[in-house]
Amino acid sequence: METQQTAGIGEWDILAQLILGVISALLGYLIMQKIRKAKNKNELTLNVISGMCFAGTVAILVELGEFFIDFYRGTNLLHADLVTNDHWFYRVFGLAMSLDGQRYLLDTDEDMLMTLLGGILTTAVMYITVRLRSKTLFAKTKKEKAGVSFGTWVHNKFEAEKAKLSRDCNTADILFWWCTRACMLYAFIVMENRAEAILLCANLIATFAITLVHIVFPEGTFFSRVSYRAQSLITVIVFLGSYCGNYVLIYNIVPRFDLFLHLISGVLCALGGYYIALTLVKPDSRKNIVIITAFAALFSFFIMPAWEISEFIGDFIWGTTNQGFYWGPSDGSFLFKVFGRGAYNTALYPLYDTFYDVMLAMVTTVPTVAATFVSMSSALKKTKHITSAEEKEAVVC
């Protein structure tokens, strides 16, 4: 009876989270349209993608809110102790190498996953609709429309990417990428813990993410215009976490290294969102600056649940412990020092590290997007001042 009741709660919860993701994506899109109504295809694309990022933001804020209510009131909104072996996730994927303590995280990560999924599916439908209304799903160049040979297409693509790479990055960036990849490849080969090695290999592939996106999508599409600077940001975060943390074992050497890593991740994710927004919108007006800044914040908040979900799946499949579900705070824990002991709900212990990581990233996301807003506003004001002075000089002449 209890198992059937738990399954019923889980099924309704999944539906509720999917609906939340759909509504959040639509609401995020409408909010961005209200701030500045899109006037062209690029601006509309940014507003659509903002909806997906807004769904991720809602997902993490809802779970964070439930965590603190459970923390202070001793409730069980996160359903930390309701997961059994009959859970749909176990029925579909099996128990894999999941450790017992991880089951407390399952409902939380499931909620975030379903909200993100609802947001992503809604965004995909809206994006395809936008592209169909513009008569094409993928923008094609004149050369592609003319129908060139595959060899010529590859040559043209290579030359275009080489030119973009030289505009976006310098030699130091490229050397950093390949030195990092060489270190990670060596670590993958020699690591004795093959589960951690596989995760490190996955992170190594992630350092090619922007390059792969540029190769897959035709020239002229939004995805093909994302700056290679975003690849540097990805490389920094995966190198620090996967190579330095797990292979060099800095996590064991420096107790606060995880704190530093999640603080810097908030900065890097916000900058990533900033570079993505710049591919679609120019910071040439006050409203555009607000849109770019808002997207940078939403993108960072979207990455937070996505990252935690990826860690959960990695731990589930390979039996690793990246989400820190084994960690239980002591009386001297920073979390207890700041927030007190609340209702002392020990069922929440496996969730502490996840929400601790999220809060650290939030702490640095906010000042980062504020700094980008101030920087863009100052640059815009300076540009307008110069333009005004040139117009006055032209009138005098």
Side-chain angles (χ1 to χ4, degrees):
M1 180 68 181
E2 185 177 349
T3 302
Q4 291 179 348
Q5 185 179 3
T6 301
I9 293 173
E11 290 168 1
W12 279 109
D13 197 34
I14 290 172
L15 180 60
Q17 296 299 329
L18 280 170
I19 294 173
L20 177 63
V22 172
I23 293 173
S24 299
L26 292 172
L27 181 60
Y29 166 74
L30 292 174
I31 290 173
M32 295 296 266
Q33 282 283 86
K34 188 69 175 178
I35 295 174
R36 192 265 289 114
K37 189 173 182 179
K39 297 179 181 178
N40 55 53
K41 183 172 58 182
N42 287 340
E43 293 178 357
L44 191 60
T45 299
L46 182 66
N47 289 357
V48 168
I49 298 173
S50 296
M52 178 186 71
C53 294
F54 189 77
T57 303
V58 169
I60 200 63
L61 291 178
V62 167
E63 295 303 310
L64 197 59
E66 289 182 349
F67 171 79
F68 275 107
I69 292 173
D70 288 353
F71 180 83
Y72 282 114
R73 302 298 299 274
T75 52
N76 194 24
L77 297 176
L78 289 172
H79 304 150
D81 57 355
L82 291 184
V83 176
T84 67
N85 288 345
D86 194 46
H87 191 279
W88 73 268
F89 197 85
Y90 292 138
R91 293 201 302 268
V92 173
F93 298 104
L95 291 173
M97 293 177 64
S98 176
L99 302 180
D100 186 65
Q102 194 189 23
R103 70 177 62 249
Y104 291 99
L105 274 168
L106 180 52
D107 190 79
T108 296
D109 283 282
E110 175 194 76
D111 288 351
M112 292 191 293
L113 176 61
M114 291 303 159
T115 305
L116 285 183
L117 185 60
I120 291 170
L121 291 175
T122 303
T123 300
V125 171
M126 288 195 293
Y127 181 75
I128 291 172
T129 303
V130 168
R131 301 304 298 186
L132 286 174
R133 287 176 63 185
S134 64
K135 308 300 182 187
T136 177
L137 277 176
F138 298 106
K140 294 184 178 181
T141 62
K142 291 181 180 179
K143 290 182 179 179
E144 289 173 319
K145 288 178 181 178
V148 298
S149 66
F150 179 74
T152 304
W153 178 85
V154 170
H155 175 75
N156 292 342
K157 185 72 173 174
F158 176 78
E159 291 298 324
E161 288 305 312
K162 188 168 69 171
K164 181 170 178 55
L165 182 62
S166 64
R167 289 195 304 269
D168 292 348
C169 304
N170 53 38
T171 305
D173 291 312
I174 298 171
L175 284 174
F176 169 66
W177 296 349
W178 286 105
C179 288
T180 299
R181 290 163 182 167
C183 290
M184 294 180 72
L185 179 61
Y186 173 79
F188 168 71
I189 294 171
V190 302
M191 281 181 76
E192 294 181 2
N193 186 332
R194 296 319 295 169
E196 291 289 354
I198 292 171
L199 285 178
L200 186 142
C201 183
N203 285 319
L204 171 60
I205 295 171
T207 65
F208 293 92
I210 303 302
T211 302
L212 293 173
V213 166
H214 283 214
I215 291 172
V216 170
F217 289 91
E219 188 180 350
T221 59
F222 151 66
F223 299 100
S224 68
R225 296 200 303 271
V226 176
S227 174
Y228 275 103
R229 292 176 184 174
Q231 187 157 288
S232 295
L233 300 177
I234 295 171
T235 303
V236 168
I237 195 66
V238 300
F239 179 72
L240 288 175
S242 188
Y243 179 82
C244 296
N246 292 329
Y247 175 68
V248 183
L249 298 178
I250 293 182
Y251 284 126
N252 299 335
I253 300 170
V254 182
R256 298 293 182 183
F257 183 71
D258 188 58
L259 181 149
F260 163 76
L261 191 60
H262 286 282
L263 284 173
I264 198 173
S265 70
V267 176
L268 297 176
C269 290
L271 290 176
Y274 166 74
Y275 287 129
I276 290 173
L278 287 181
T279 66
L280 295 170
V281 176
K282 293 181 179 179
D284 54 4
S285 70
R286 188 78 172 179
K287 286 187 176 181
N288 280 2
I289 289 174
V290 172
I291 288 290
I292 293 170
T293 304
F295 181 82
L298 292 175
F299 181 78
S300 183
F301 289 153
F302 170 81
I303 294 296
M304 292 174 197
W307 183 266
E308 294 301 323
I309 290 167
S310 69
E311 284 190 337
F312 171 80
I313 293 173
D315 290 347
F316 180 83
I317 295 173
W318 292 298
T320 50
T321 56
N322 289 302
Q323 271 202 298
F325 51 82
Y326 57 87
W327 176 71
S330 62
D331 289 337
S333 168
F334 176 78
L335 194 105
F336 281 162
K337 287 180 180 178
V338 174
F339 299 105
R341 297 188 68 84
Y344 199 62
N345 188 349
T346 55
L348 292 177
Y349 273 12
L351 301 170
Y352 281 9
D353 186 68
T354 293
F355 288 107
Y356 186 52
D357 292 347
V358 167
M359 286 186 288
L360 290 174
M362 285 181 171
V363 165
T364 50
T365 292
V366 174
T368 301
V369 296
T372 58
F373 177 81
V374 171
S375 176
M376 286 187 291
S377 297
S378 299
L380 178 63
K381 190 178 294 184
K382 185 177 180 180
T383 301
K384 286 185 175 180
H385 177 73
I386 292 172
T387 303
S388 177
E390 288 177 347
E391 289 174 351
K392 287 181 180 178
E393 185 178 346
V395 171
V396 172
C397 292

